[in-house]
Amino acid sequence: MSAYKHMNESWMEEQTERTETIRNRLIVWRKQESIVRLEHPTRLGRARELGYKAKQGYVVVRVRTGRGPREKIRPKAGRKPRAMGVVRYTPQKSRRWIAEERVAKKFPNLRLLNSYWVGNDSKWVWYECILVDPIHPVIYNDPDINWICDPVQKGRVSRGLSSAGKRSRGLRNRGRGAEKMRPSLRAKHNLGK
């Protein structure tokens, strides 16, 4: 077993046991701002899996989002109950995608590489986002990551090109049953017009 895999497994064990360390960490996080820049990732194993490197140009940010139901607001004007459009509607965006968008708005000069879950309590969920500085010399001279410096990668979170965005758009599924997912739902449904 690799060191990073061992880190991930021990991290998840701590989370399921809800150790004293985890509970104290969440108490501190609750008192902090909703978006906090970090020196190092909290889950190093997961961050490394998703492309983080401990060198210049990489930034790690922890972001907090709310939990609870995300129901549609019930209309005030009169309708038949079945036409209210309140129940049985799934939100199109995951909480992780929303968290990534908030971070991208806070740091407009950086580009989001990926994100991962780091904790939750009864009220909040915390994610850590890996950001990359596209104009940093270390980044655009590194052949492994300099693809993110292309102008086409600007605003990739808002266009659903991050991992969480692709998952919410249904792009993890391929083949039968996913014919209308690509290039996008909007493009497929507008072809007949």
Side-chain angles (χ1 to χ4, degrees), residues 9 37 39 127 138:
E9 287 189 3
R37 184 171 171 171
E39 289 291 321
Y127 297 98
V138 174

Side-chain angles (χ1 to χ4, degrees), residues 46-122:
R46 187 69 183 131
R48 287 282 294 160
E49 280 177 0
L50 297 176
Y52 170 79
K53 291 181 182 176
K55 60 190 203 177
Q56 292 178 330
Y58 284 86
V59 177
V60 181
V61 175
R62 185 175 57 245
V63 57
R64 182 182 73 197
T65 59
R67 289 186 69 183
R70 293 186 291 163
E71 297 159 346
K72 292 182 76 175
I73 297 168
R74 192 176 176 88
K76 289 185 169 65
R79 284 169 180 72
K80 290 181 180 179
R82 74 176 179 208
M84 286 280 183
V86 175
V87 295
R88 297 179 185 170
Y89 279 84
T90 308
Q92 294 296 305
K93 288 184 182 178
S94 66
R95 292 183 197 286
R96 201 176 105 194
W97 188 3
I98 291 167
E100 288 176 354
E101 284 184 329
R102 288 176 185 173
V103 169
K105 191 176 178 183
K106 176 88 171 176
F107 298 92
N109 61 321
L110 303 177
R111 295 192 183 156
L112 186 123
L113 182 62
N114 221 318
S115 64
Y116 51 92
W117 173 88
V118 285
N120 64 277
D121 61 9
S122 59

